[in-house]
Amino acid sequence: MKNKLIALVGSPNSGKTSLFNALTGSHQKVGNYPGVTVEKKIGEFEGHDIVDLPGLYSFDTRTLDERISKRVVLGKSKNLPAPDLLVVVVDATNLKRSLYLARELKELGRPMIIALNLFDLALKRGLELDLSYLADFFNCPVVPTSSVAKGGVDGLKKSISREIEKDAGISEIDDKSWLKNLRDLGFIQKAFGDIDRILAKSTKKNISPDSFTERLDRVVLHPLWGSVLMLTTLVLMFELVFEWAGPLTEMIEDSFSWLAVQVNGIIPEESLWNSFVNDGILAGIGGVLVFLPQIILLFFVIMVFEDFGYLGRMAFLLDHFFRRLGLPGKSVVPLLSSHACAVPGMMAARTIENENDRLATMLVAPLTTCSARIPVYTLLIAAFIPAQKVFGPIGLQALVMLSLYMLGIISSFIMAFILKKTILTGTPSRLLMELPGYKTPRLSYVLRGLWIRTKLFLQKVGKVIVVLTIIVWALISFPRQENGVPDLENSYAARVGKTLSPIFKPLGFDWKLTTALIPSFGAREIVVASLATVLAVEGEEDDEGFETKLATRVKTEYSLATILSLIIWFVFAPQCLSTFAILKKESDSWGWTVFMGLYTTGLAYFGSLIVYQIFS
Amino acid sequence: MTLFDLSKGQMGKILIKSIDILEENLVLRLSQMGFIPGEVVELCTTSPLVKGSILVSVRGARIALAKSEALHIHVELIS
């Protein structure tokens, strides 16, 4: 028997992916479609391949993800054959809308099954339906499904096994005229008319309205209280994420200092290898893992919001404000995610249809304060801002940290405004989007999304950080003196720093600071370690009191003006190499990638210059 | 009257009459979302501070759209 291909298609909120998980269990592999970073999810079902396609409302497609679904369905994807069977997943709680996709596919005349998903929910809300009319009209099996209820996919499984055995043979399809027809207003009106007619015939009892969503939206989308609620939610979100991430980050730091001690027991401390393992490899890996708690927690909250249905509502609430800046409300998701890590944040911009809006969003995303900048800010704040309380319990240091966050957000807004007014002109994408009913967030969905984003961070960012830490270590450690002791003053890194130092002098940076800045082009977070190295602070990075020692050292060495200038540098300076790599991939343009490097460097340089000149 | 002129809690049934937008893609997109003549619409809420965008319910879905589009969707009130 030939191994066949089943494709799962459906609208974004039809619960298609949970159905896919229920059908395939753990037999899944996740890859990418050629040339793009859209996830390709393939699972196994009774010896056949089953692919979960990106969600779409119509095959008259607009976004990158939607086009991929269209290409696969039409057998035009480079590395997938034409599917032998289509499973159209529709939302049973809103058939009037969701059957439209099935109606489009009916014209294509390919073997298909309609899965009325979330059927248990629809039943609970009183829907009574005679499926036979639907099956007659669409001329294909119509199966109620539920990915939550026990045995909720049994019917679909049986139906798939039956249909896949039928050797209908794939007839040549005239996809050009099919697609053209989808863009015919007459067809659209007729399609909805058909759906209304069939539903009128088959519905014995209408579904009751989603009163929960209606009632909740009255508060969440209230012109005044909705905004208050949103701001409170965002502040609480960041507050909780940092509160919870703290102990976890410490645990990771502790285990790495434990590891370093173990290494000292095996390799003599004075040897080059000890330094390589501890300051190169372990520092690199530790540098990556330290961010995981924050990133995971922040993405966890964002995923919960998304599944609950709040993210779309935030886009609605902010749309008008964003529009003034020239961005669509949908930019809120990429910009919010960028506070964890800009790499998945920039990828989240994919839902933005207008190319100029998507580019503008991606270009300004690195200005928001990603979690990698926190250690640098913390160090510099600890060095120069007195730990006194201002408004009651709020400390001055916390206030400065908050202002740096605001500076990141505001500058990304201003930059977006400038970009949209100058080079990326055009009206922002239409708001036009469906706000799905609220759902209880599903743990499996949230965890899966979390895993995908974390993996992305580890793969794209992690590798770069580890490699760069090792390179930086080498630059700092070589050439060695004749007796084998590293000689920082004459190291390769210092030579570069000294050469560049005239350029950075007006910003108040001496050659040591300049040297410490070099690795920051690779990954921001290495700076703390390299600062310690160039200032020759004794002790391991993970030692207790290390940060305090380093902070004191910075304080004695540099003036307030220099520190402020350095902070401003870090707000704007080009982010880690990974952001450039992902921009290159997502924009498919070297031009924009170089542009991002130039404009962030420019902002950082002149920002620092102004600050230093004012305060010195 | 346009979709944008609707006020919350308006009595009676509101039907879509016509869409006067020149951009073909946008008309198609609105139509695919269910904004076609004869459909019933209902205003759910408006955006905060300034009425810049609205949320309407059409064909059982809640759809957010901006003023720029809403101004071009003509509706009629059937009491």
Side-chain angles (χ1 to χ4, degrees), chain A residues 260-324:
Chain A
V261 173
Q262 304 309 304
V263 171
N264 289 345
I266 303 165
I267 315 171
E269 264 186 72
E270 306 75 37
S271 88
L272 179 63
W273 284 107
N274 178 292
S275 163
F276 174 69
V277 173
N278 270 345
D279 306 331
I281 297 178
L282 282 184
I285 298 173
V288 174
L289 294 184
V290 148
F291 300 110
L292 273 186
Q294 261 167 22
I295 290 179
I296 290 178
L297 280 169
L298 204 50
F299 275 129
F300 179 80
V301 181
I302 292 174
M303 291 298 297
V304 168
F305 281 175
E306 189 201 324
D307 206 28
F308 180 54
Y310 191 49
L311 233 43
R313 266 116 184 136
M314 268 168 61
F316 172 73
L317 287 171
L318 286 169
D319 189 73
H320 191 63
F321 170 70
F322 270 50
R323 210 156 280 276
R324 295 241 161 135

Side-chain angles (χ1 to χ4, degrees), chain A residues 228-395:
Chain A
V228 173
L229 183 74
M230 178 176 62
L231 288 178
T232 320
T233 313
L234 285 178
V235 170
L236 271 180
M237 175 176 104
F238 280 107
E239 172 70 27
L240 282 182
V241 164
F242 292 128
E243 196 100 334
W244 291 341
L248 294 171
T249 311
E250 265 169 44
M251 254 171 57
I252 294 172
E253 282 172 350
D254 287 348
S255 40
F256 269 86
S257 48
W258 178 84
L259 266 179
V261 173
Q262 304 309 304
V263 171
N264 289 345
I266 303 165
I267 315 171
E269 264 186 72
E270 306 75 37
S271 88
L272 179 63
W273 284 107
N274 178 292
S275 163
F276 174 69
V277 173
N278 270 345
D279 306 331
I281 297 178
L282 282 184
I285 298 173
V288 174
L289 294 184
V290 148
F291 300 110
L292 273 186
Q294 261 167 22
I295 290 179
I296 290 178
L297 280 169
L298 204 50
F299 275 129
F300 179 80
V301 181
I302 292 174
M303 291 298 297
V304 168
F305 281 175
E306 189 201 324
D307 206 28
F308 180 54
Y310 191 49
L311 233 43
R313 266 116 184 136
M314 268 168 61
F316 172 73
L317 287 171
L318 286 169
D319 189 73
H320 191 63
F321 170 70
F322 270 50
R323 210 156 280 276
R324 295 241 161 135
L325 304 168
L327 290 179
K330 280 180 186 168
S331 300
V332 71
V333 183
L335 292 181
L336 194 60
S337 307
S338 295
H339 282 89
C341 173
V343 170
M346 285 157 90
M347 289 183 63
R350 268 195 215 137
T351 51
I352 301 169
E353 294 140 32
N354 182 308
E355 195 51 27
N356 277 1
D357 292 349
R358 197 170 72 95
L359 265 172
T361 308
M362 287 197 294
L363 285 171
V364 303
L367 290 176
T368 57
T369 310
C370 72
S371 30
R373 254 174 279 197
I374 313 276
V376 188
Y377 287 173
T378 314
L379 172 81
L380 296 178
I381 287 176
F384 256 91
I385 312 296
Q388 63 189 29
K389 303 277 178 208
V390 273
F391 314 105
I394 302 163

Side-chain angles (χ1 to χ4, degrees), chain A residues 58 60 62 94 96-97 100 183 185 188 192 196 217 221 223 227 316 320 353 430-435, chain B residues 23 25-26 28-33 36-37 45 48 52-55 59-65 69:
Chain A
S58 162
D60 180 22
R62 276 163 196 93
N94 186 9
K96 271 179 85 153
R97 167 119 165 86
Y100 184 74
R183 292 176 59 81
L185 273 180
I188 300 173
F192 277 123
D196 284 340
D217 266 350
L221 297 181
S227 314
F316 172 73
H320 191 63
E353 294 140 32
R430 317 273 166 194
L431 170 60
L432 216 55
M433 61 175 191
E434 181 174 346
L435 296 184
Chain B
E23 199 188 321
N25 274 331
L26 182 57
L28 283 170
R29 186 139 166 244
L30 284 165
S31 311
Q32 284 153 358
M33 293 185 115
I36 45 180
T45 188
S53 33
I54 57 172
L55 184 70
R59 288 193 75 88
R62 297 156 83 75
I63 291 168
L65 69 176
E69 285 90 57

Side-chain angles (χ1 to χ4, degrees), chain A residues 49 53 55 60 70 80 111 150 168 210 220 226 243 286 290 302 306 310 372 401 438 456 463 468 484 520 548 550 571:
Chain A
D49 284 337
L53 296 177
D60 180 22
K70 179 175 77 184
L80 277 179
K150 208 163 176 252
D210 183 358
V220 171
E243 196 100 334
V290 148
I302 292 174
E306 189 201 324
Y310 191 49
M401 188 65 126
Y438 290 104
L456 199 72
K463 261 190 272 177
L468 276 166
S520 85
T548 341
L550 182 54
V571 171

Side-chain angles (χ1 to χ4, degrees), chain A residues 533-551:
Chain A
T533 319
V534 291
L535 293 178
V537 173
E538 294 293 317
E540 287 301 313
E541 189 176 347
D542 310 306
D543 278 0
E544 258 179 72
F546 164 79
E547 304 263 311
T548 341
K549 254 194 275 176
L550 182 54

Side-chain angles (χ1 to χ4, degrees), chain A residues 540-587:
Chain A
E540 287 301 313
E541 189 176 347
D542 310 306
D543 278 0
E544 258 179 72
F546 164 79
E547 304 263 311
T548 341
K549 254 194 275 176
L550 182 54
T552 325
R553 188 80 175 76
V554 170
K555 196 171 180 169
T556 47
E557 189 104 353
Y558 300 108
S559 66
L560 175 67
T562 299
I563 296 298
L564 288 177
S565 162
L566 194 62
I567 290 181
I568 293 301
W569 174 267
F570 279 114
V571 171
F572 297 115
Q575 255 201 341
C576 61
L577 274 182
S578 325
T579 48
F580 290 93
I582 207 80
L583 181 67
K584 167 70 184 61
K585 186 140 200 180
E586 294 284 303
S587 67

